[in-house]
Amino acid sequence: MPTLRQLFLANNAQTTDFPLLLEFERAEGVYMYDKQGRAFIDLISGIGVSNLGHSNPYVINAIKQQLDKYMHLMVYGEYVQTPQVRFAEKLIGLLPEGLQSVYFTNSGAEAVEGALKLAKRFTGRQQLIAFDNSYHGSTQGALSVMGNEEFKRAYRPLLPGVNFIRLNNFDDLELITGQTAGVILETIQGEAGIRIPEKAYLQALRKRCDETGVLLILDEIQAAFGRTGKLFAFEHFGIVPDILLLAKALGGGMPVGAFIASHQIMSALKENPILGHITTFGGHPVCCSAGLAALEVLLSENLVAGVEEKEALFRKLLIHPAIKEIRGKGLMLALEFADFDLNKKIIDRCIENGVITDWFLHCSNSMRLAPPLVITNAEIEKACAVILEAIDYCASQLDDVVYLTIIDD
């Protein structure tokens, strides 16, 4: 009889020839457990999803309660469904004026697609501007605003009229004109290896969009819900977007995304044509129940308040001559090494020793650190010890010349 791993390789679509092939039986808190009961510390939170850790009992209870009431009833936007209404009400209560209308989707990429359509429909313009090294998802529209040609070349033609500018380059702001419908930017760039905009730059970007009547779309699919030390990452910069994109941690482990705008902007989807954006399962009642519960836990346990202290502990412990730089904000961090080869060896060694981490799509020489916000100081210390051991072990396998180059840098 074939093993589960063999069935996975035979029947499940593969996106690389070298999947990790880890098999987990259960997960709780910051730990995932394999079939032998071995615990692994999760330092990537399913790529920014599990802010509360795994199997939060409050979230699970909310899911069970909703299952006893109803699941899918109708395509999004037709019926008044309590989980959607209460979740939207809670989100709007936490956001600034001007972000008053929530459109729930199934995922972050779908939120991106909806936002791009909305910007074009509201402004009547066709041009979009995105950023070098950006990542917004893998659907056609989201891929069109990805700032890495290597990952999109094979899928052209994509959306026309997309131009790219450089983060923190003030001169490039002149490329935003009266022909531009929307500018889409990750508030903190994730797959670029955690790149943070200058505050003055984001404020200048906001000003330029206002001057030209362009909608500013901020993608906080990875950065929201406390990951950076604020509930929403744009709060660090003193600006408010016209359209806000959320997903990942939004659902507390269940699949849900959202794009949020003002009533005036969102109303553009209601006419010419009507039903300007349609989704069958967007805002699924079980997912919205989970998301609302997760948000209530995040707030009631004040998890955001501890993020800066935990960031400081990571920075204090992760000192090594092979680490070229630590970038990031809060629990959204990147460790940069000399090259991908060394980084991948260190990541693999960490996994062997019970710590799950990863690299970045557009910055393969950097290691991702994005643990659940519930991680304790003791768990951080334990994980960092494993990382440092892995660095020592892998660096020692290199020849002396290469290692000295890393130290000198």
Side-chain angles (χ1 to χ4, degrees):
M1 178 177 291
T3 65
L4 195 63
R5 180 175 297 188
Q6 288 169 331
L7 289 170
F8 168 78
L9 292 171
N11 301 326
N12 293 74
Q14 303 294 305
T15 55
T16 74
D17 289 323
F18 43 89
L20 290 173
L21 294 177
L22 298 168
E23 295 183 50
F24 294 111
E25 291 268 297
R26 64 185 182 90
E28 184 176 353
V30 301
Y31 292 97
M32 299 185 290
Y33 298 87
D34 67 13
K35 295 172 70 172
Q36 290 72 44
R38 186 181 176 209
F40 292 74
I41 298 177
D42 181 3
L43 286 190
I44 55 176
S45 304
I47 314 298
V49 170
S50 306
N51 278 17
L52 302 185
H54 300 280
S55 303
N56 181 276
Y58 190 77
V59 175
I60 290 173
N61 186 56
I63 291 170
K64 289 178 177 178
Q65 287 186 7
Q66 184 57 40
L67 286 172
D68 288 335
K69 296 175 182 176
Y70 58 83
M71 292 191 283
H72 177 73
L73 299 179
M74 178 58 166
V75 297
Y76 179 73
E78 295 297 326
Y79 294 170
V80 180
Q81 299 184 52
T82 299
Q84 291 177 357
V85 173
R86 293 303 183 201
F87 195 16
E89 178 187 35
K90 189 72 172 182
L91 287 167
I92 295 306
L94 298 167
L95 288 166
E97 185 178 353
L99 295 171
Q100 310 147 328
S101 183
V102 181
Y103 193 116
F104 287 117
T105 64
N106 299 284
S107 67
E110 290 183 41
V112 171
E113 297 285 345
L116 297 181
K117 286 175 62 179
L118 181 58
K120 288 182 173 183
R121 179 67 190 85
F122 180 77
T123 63
R125 304 170 185 176
Q126 298 181 356
Q127 184 194 73
L128 297 166
I129 288 182
F131 283 76
D132 289 346
N133 294 317
S134 59
Y135 181 82
H136 301 286
S138 290
T139 50
Q140 290 268 320
L143 194 62
S144 299
V145 292
M146 179 196 285
N148 187 325
E149 184 62 24
E150 178 184 355
F151 287 95
K152 56 201 280 188
R153 186 180 298 114
Y155 303 101
R156 290 192 177 279
L158 296 167
L159 287 181
V162 180
N163 295 329
F164 289 86
I165 61 177
R166 295 164 290 181
L167 187 68
N168 293 327
N169 187 301
F170 286 80
D171 292 339
D172 283 4
L173 296 180
E174 295 300 316
L175 297 174
I176 302 169
T177 71
Q179 303 301 310
T180 308
V183 175
I184 183 167
L185 169 68
E186 297 158 273
T187 312
I188 293 178
Q189 287 192 321
E191 297 309 311
I194 315 298
R195 310 290 174 171
I196 303 174
E198 298 170 9
K199 185 174 183 178
Y201 175 80
L202 272 196
Q203 293 182 346
L205 172 62
R206 174 71 275 180
K207 183 172 183 289
R208 181 64 179 171
C209 288
D210 290 339
E211 292 169 347
T212 53
V214 173
L215 298 188
L216 177 59
I217 305 166
L218 288 185
D219 178 342
E220 298 215 356
I221 290 166
Q222 285 196 54
F225 301 109
R227 180 142 301 280
T228 67
K230 298 281 189 184
L231 191 59
F232 301 102
F234 65 77
E235 296 178 276
H236 291 287
F237 302 98
I239 65 164
V240 177
D242 297 299
I243 306 176
L244 177 66
L245 308 183
L246 303 173
K248 291 190 179 287
L250 176 67
M254 295 292 284
V256 61
F259 58 101
I260 305 175
S262 67
H263 289 300
Q264 180 188 13
I265 293 172
M266 197 70 81
S267 67
L269 298 177
K270 294 194 296 185
E271 56 186 12
N272 297 322
I274 64 168
L275 301 174
H277 196 64
I278 300 172
T279 174
T280 297
F281 292 111
H284 192 283
V286 177
C287 297
C288 285
S289 296
L292 177 58
L295 187 53
E296 288 173 341
V297 171
L298 185 73
L299 297 172
S300 65
E301 297 187 7
N302 199 19
L303 295 177
V304 182
V307 168
E308 288 187 5
E309 176 188 340
K310 292 171 183 178
E311 174 193 358
L313 183 57
F314 270 111
R315 289 183 178 273
K316 176 184 176 182
L317 295 173
L318 290 175
I319 297 174
H320 193 284
I323 299 174
K324 296 167 67 69
E325 183 182 13
I326 301 181
R327 292 185 302 275
K329 189 176 285 291
L331 292 177
M332 191 174 180
L333 300 171
L335 300 186
E336 184 173 320
F337 298 100
D339 52 42
F340 172 71
D341 186 57
L342 177 59
N343 186 36
K344 185 63 166 63
K345 285 181 169 62
I346 293 168
I347 289 169
D348 290 345
R349 178 74 173 180
C350 285
I351 293 173
E352 289 174 14
N353 292 328
V355 170
I356 305 291
T357 181
D358 200 4
W359 47 281
F360 295 93
L361 201 61
H362 305 333
C363 187
S364 61
N365 67 328
S366 293
M367 175 191 289
R368 184 192 307 268
L369 296 179
L373 308 190
V374 297
I375 193 170
T376 65
N377 287 352
E379 289 163 343
I380 291 173
E381 291 170 359
K382 182 178 178 181
C384 287
V386 171
I387 294 170
L388 292 171
E389 186 280 334
I391 297 173
D392 280 336
Y393 177 83
C394 295
S396 70
Q397 306 302 305
L398 303 175
D399 61 63
D400 292 340
V401 174
V402 174
Y403 188 48
L404 286 173
T405 301
I406 296 171
I407 292 175
D408 291 341
D409 194 66

